[in-house]
Amino acid sequence: GSESSSEPASTAEPGKYQTLQVTKEDGVYKIMLNRPSKKNAINYEMYEEWGQALNEAAQDKDVVLAVVTGAGDLYCSGNDLGNFANVQPSDITAMAKKGGDILEKFVNAFIDFPKPLIGLINGPAVGVSVTVLGLFDVVYATDKATFHTPFSALGQSPEGCSSYTFPKMMGTAKATELLLFNKKITAVEACERNLVTEVFPDGTFKSETEARVKEYAKLPKISLQKSKNLSRDAERQKLYEI
Amino acid sequence: GSESSSEPASTAEPGKYQTLQVTKEDGVYKIMLNRPSKKNAINYEMYEEWGQALNEAAQDKDVVLAVVTGAGDLYCSGNDLGNFANVQPSDITAMAKKGGDILEKFVNAFIDFPKPLIGLINGPAVGVSVTVLGLFDVVYATDKATFHTPFSALGQSPEGCSSYTFPKMMGTAKATELLLFNKKITAVEACERNLVTEVFPDGTFKSETEARVKEYAKLPKISLQKSKNLSRDAERQKLYEI
Amino acid sequence: GSESSSEPASTAEPGKYQTLQVTKEDGVYKIMLNRPSKKNAINYEMYEEWGQALNEAAQDKDVVLAVVTGAGDLYCSGNDLGNFANVQPSDITAMAKKGGDILEKFVNAFIDFPKPLIGLINGPAVGVSVTVLGLFDVVYATDKATFHTPFSALGQSPEGCSSYTFPKMMGTAKATELLLFNKKITAVEACERNLVTEVFPDGTFKSETEARVKEYAKLPKISLQKSKNLSRDAERQKLYEI
């Protein structure tokens, strides 16, 4: 009956992921960032697991497309600053290298993902969780979402290919405010800047976007994959180099 | 008198084209898709003739710019499915090759067109007639126009360089909805996504756009051509490769 | 007191520039186009001095970012037609070469500028002063500003890398109207087309944008420079070639 659509999807391998809740149903592979008590901040384990889950979705023949969302009222608060805590001065170089390697592997999982990747941004998004959105294929957001990339305030530089994808989608004049000058924008502003595909009222966000994703997953898998890669192949080399 | 502007331009060589009505007047080469009983669907003959007409306009020294529009209330319903009808199983490979060759020749005529190319989208546009708009220089649309590229629903992939031009003009997040997920958009939405330059009320569409085209055709021909090719030269190689 | 912020910054080397007023204060290097009686038109001397000032700002270790604005009610009326006056027919070739060399040196100073470059567009902007805005990082405009690039009307071609930057930021369909068909747009239209970052009411334009620039200049200099060049490095070669 009509209730079947509201039943939760079953987790294929319970306990496989510590920081994510991963489900698979009707061709949709859903990754939910699942550290709500830490505002879904990305610690080393989540970087690894998120990339691993994407690779799993890429290889699974039953998966038509993948979706990423956050548990609770936030999407993701960005890099977990705990990643940098308790580092001894003598370990800084080694830790910077480790962090760089983990990040590169994480970003490459997005660059290489061969199927449609859809972001369902259920609340505020910060840092690297925003910058990698430029590597998604569709981004739907609740009107309560905000987007913030405060890299230069922390003495850092933008990541996740955003120095390439953001100017491409919104022009340099608008990308610079975000990536250099730490401007926080609303979901509507993010949509005007082509970072977000469409904004939904928070009350119907979940039901409306789930219905769309369900429809998309019924389309011919091979055709979707071929179409996505027509675009991606042309710029994959450029994305690796950034 | 003032009535002269509403007189129809004379067809240079009547009967030269079966699927198009082609006219030339005051530097404007006008291509009207002319199979209204078939919703201006593009059969093999129209692919050939449309490309041939563009080449003719390119070489004609009196032509400053070219315009494309549709006869009747529709712009174009896309590929004529009759192109695929009555094919014997043994002929599928040969026919797919023939179709691919015809399409490549057709798209190259747009890539190589050296003068300003203006689309006057007089009604709904579908399929390859939408995707090649990314190779036009200006696109004016009536507010009754819609834009639809249902490739993946048909198990096909986008064509006409749209996997490159669409993400470039509107960002990947908005291009994917059109090219992968078959979203149909209005003229206003197409304008917000930079596929359309400006939208006009249907009642004044024809007169307003004709007046603009007439003005543009008075500009220095060499200067227009040089300016267009400053942009096109930089990406022609990339367009060929897609 | 609160009045200190409205005191003029002191000119570092008075008399160094004839066509510009250049000031330096709290990490902000400010270039004011200063030929108000000539509508801030760019004569040969201003081309040279503007490029020289950018190079000075690039090398000065105390400078975090640079700002460009115009003296009076106009931003800049473009190339000073006096540059072409009183040329003897026998000198046309030599003068065209001189003009080309000066322009190339001028545009390269923008391409190579390694720090954030902010345009404060205080009124109408014309010609090359508009096209080089595609090489700025942020562009704030008063709502009294307009943007006009009437190249083809003068039998010229677009300059300042605009044949690359304009289609990239607003799509070809909208760039062509400006660069080929001489359309003049308002500040709001320029913002919709991603040429302008944000539009301010004329009455508060100066105070609001100065406050923002002041804040930006407090951000970590190295981080800003690194972030800007992540984007610029990837396309510098392409910009040189145009």
Side-chain angles (χ1 to χ4, degrees), chain B residues 51-238:
Chain B
Q52 193 183 335
L54 286 172
N55 293 337
E56 188 176 276
Q59 283 154 27
D60 187 328
K61 291 189 175 167
D62 294 334
V63 169
V64 178
L65 54 81
V67 162
V68 181
T69 193
D73 292 334
L74 288 150
Y75 176 65
C76 177
S77 58
N79 191 57
D80 190 330
L81 296 176
N83 289 341
F84 299 134
N86 302 318
V87 180
Q88 301 301 318
S90 60
D91 296 342
I92 284 182
T93 308
M95 210 213 55
K97 173 149 175 32
K98 182 187 170 193
D101 289 348
I102 285 175
L103 188 64
E104 186 182 341
K105 199 172 155 193
F106 172 71
V107 174
N108 284 352
F110 289 89
I111 297 174
D112 292 336
F113 192 66
K115 301 174 183 181
L117 180 61
I118 300 178
L120 301 184
I121 313 304
N122 57 303
V126 178
V128 67
S129 79
V130 175
T131 52
V132 293
L133 289 179
L135 299 169
F136 280 57
D137 298 296
V138 163
V139 178
Y140 294 136
T142 162
D143 56 10
K144 292 203 173 156
T146 54
F147 299 84
H148 195 200
T149 52
F151 293 109
S152 68
L154 301 168
Q156 301 181 318
S157 292
E159 314 157 299
C161 302
S162 58
S163 61
Y164 170 75
T165 60
F166 277 41
K168 189 184 168 195
M169 71 175 80
M170 65 182 78
T172 299
K174 286 177 180 164
T176 301
E177 273 200 323
L178 308 190
L179 297 177
L180 270 69
F181 297 146
N182 310 307
K183 186 185 174 81
K184 189 194 216 173
I185 57 174
T186 65
V188 168
E189 289 170 325
C191 188
E192 287 166 358
R193 289 163 193 241
N194 297 328
L195 178 62
V196 161
T197 309
E198 191 173 337
V199 181
F200 297 80
D202 194 60
T204 57
F205 172 68
K206 203 160 178 295
S207 60
E208 286 199 63
T209 57
E210 276 180 0
R212 294 224 194 158
V213 167
K214 223 178 246 278
E215 284 308 306
Y216 299 161
K218 291 176 188 161
L219 291 167
K221 192 170 54 172
I222 300 300
S223 173
L224 289 178
Q225 206 159 326
K226 200 174 151 196
S227 294
K228 162 156 184 174
N229 289 307
L230 271 177
S231 288
R232 182 55 60 85
D233 289 349
E235 58 184 9
R236 185 170 286 119
Q237 195 52 44
K238 196 172 285 179

Side-chain angles (χ1 to χ4, degrees), chain A residues 65 116 118 134 136-140 168-169 191-192 194-198 212 216 219-220 223-224 226-228 230-231 235 238, chain B residues 151-158 162-164 167-174 176-177 179-183 192-194 238 242:
Chain A
L65 55 80
I118 300 178
F136 281 57
D137 297 296
V138 163
V139 179
Y140 293 136
K168 190 184 168 194
M169 70 175 80
C191 188
E192 287 166 357
N194 297 329
L195 178 61
V196 162
T197 309
E198 190 174 339
R212 294 224 194 158
Y216 297 161
L219 292 166
S223 173
L224 289 178
K226 200 174 150 197
S227 293
K228 163 157 181 171
L230 271 177
S231 288
E235 58 185 6
K238 197 172 285 180
Chain B
F151 293 109
S152 68
L154 301 168
Q156 301 181 318
S157 292
S162 58
S163 61
Y164 170 75
K168 189 184 168 195
M169 71 175 80
M170 65 182 78
T172 299
K174 286 177 180 164
T176 301
E177 273 200 323
L179 297 177
L180 270 69
F181 297 146
N182 310 307
K183 186 185 174 81
E192 287 166 358
R193 289 163 193 241
N194 297 328
K238 196 172 285 179
I242 294 166

Side-chain angles (χ1 to χ4, degrees), chain C residues 111-112 229 232-241:
Chain C
I111 296 174
D112 292 336
N229 289 306
R232 182 55 58 86
D233 289 350
E235 60 184 5
R236 185 170 286 119
Q237 195 52 43
K238 196 172 285 181
L239 293 168
Y240 283 140
E241 286 165 9

Side-chain angles (χ1 to χ4, degrees), chain A residues 94-106:
Chain A
M95 211 215 53
K97 175 154 175 26
K98 182 187 169 192
D101 289 348
I102 285 174
L103 188 64
E104 187 181 341
K105 200 173 154 192
F106 172 72

Side-chain angles (χ1 to χ4, degrees), chain C:
Chain C
S2 67
E3 290 183 0
S4 67
S5 66
S6 62
E7 281 177 34
S10 60
T11 307
E13 301 176 55
K16 183 170 182 181
Y17 295 105
Q18 305 307 310
T19 65
L20 311 174
Q21 185 189 316
V22 169
T23 55
K24 202 176 86 175
E25 189 180 27
D26 296 335
V28 177
Y29 189 99
K30 183 173 169 184
I31 299 169
M32 180 180 278
L33 312 181
N34 195 27
R35 298 180 74 215
S37 66
K38 300 289 186 182
K39 298 184 173 180
N40 298 328
I42 316 177
N43 59 7
Y44 284 153
E45 194 172 15
M46 194 191 280
Y47 277 117
E48 295 272 13
E49 290 189 349
W50 193 341
Q52 193 183 336
L54 285 173
N55 294 336
E56 189 177 275
Q59 284 154 26
D60 188 328
K61 291 189 176 170
D62 295 334
V63 169
V64 178
L65 54 81
V67 161
V68 181
T69 193
D73 293 332
L74 288 152
Y75 175 67
C76 178
S77 58
N79 191 57
D80 190 329
L81 296 176
N83 290 339
F84 299 134
N86 302 318
V87 180
Q88 300 301 317
S90 59
D91 296 342
I92 284 180
T93 308
M95 211 213 54
K97 174 151 175 29
K98 182 188 170 192
D101 290 348
I102 286 175
L103 187 64
E104 186 181 342
K105 199 173 155 192
F106 172 73
V107 173
N108 284 351
F110 289 89
I111 296 174
D112 292 336
F113 192 67
K115 301 173 183 182
L117 181 61
I118 299 177
L120 301 183
I121 312 305
N122 58 301
V126 177
V128 67
S129 79
V130 175
T131 52
V132 292
L133 289 179
L135 300 170
F136 281 57
D137 297 296
V138 164
V139 178
Y140 293 136
T142 163
D143 57 11
K144 292 201 173 157
T146 53
F147 299 84
H148 195 199
T149 51
F151 293 109
S152 68
L154 300 168
Q156 299 181 319
S157 293
E159 313 157 300
C161 302
S162 59
S163 61
Y164 170 75
T165 60
F166 277 41
K168 189 183 166 194
M169 71 174 82
M170 65 183 78
T172 298
K174 286 176 180 163
T176 301
E177 274 200 323
L178 307 190
L179 296 177
L180 269 69
F181 297 146
N182 311 306
K183 185 185 175 80
K184 188 193 216 173
I185 57 174
T186 65
V188 168
E189 289 169 325
C191 188
E192 287 166 358
R193 289 163 193 241
N194 297 329
L195 179 62
V196 161
T197 309
E198 190 174 338
V199 181
F200 297 81
D202 195 60
T204 57
F205 171 69
K206 205 161 176 297
S207 59
E208 286 199 63
T209 56
E210 277 179 359
R212 295 225 193 158
V213 167
K214 223 179 247 278
E215 285 308 306
Y216 298 161
K218 290 176 187 164
L219 291 167
K221 191 169 54 172
I222 300 300
S223 173
L224 289 178
Q225 206 159 324
K226 201 174 150 196
S227 294
K228 162 156 183 173
N229 289 306
L230 271 178
S231 288
R232 182 55 58 86
D233 289 350
E235 60 184 5
R236 185 170 286 119
Q237 195 52 43
K238 196 172 285 181
L239 293 168
Y240 283 140
E241 286 165 9
I242 293 165

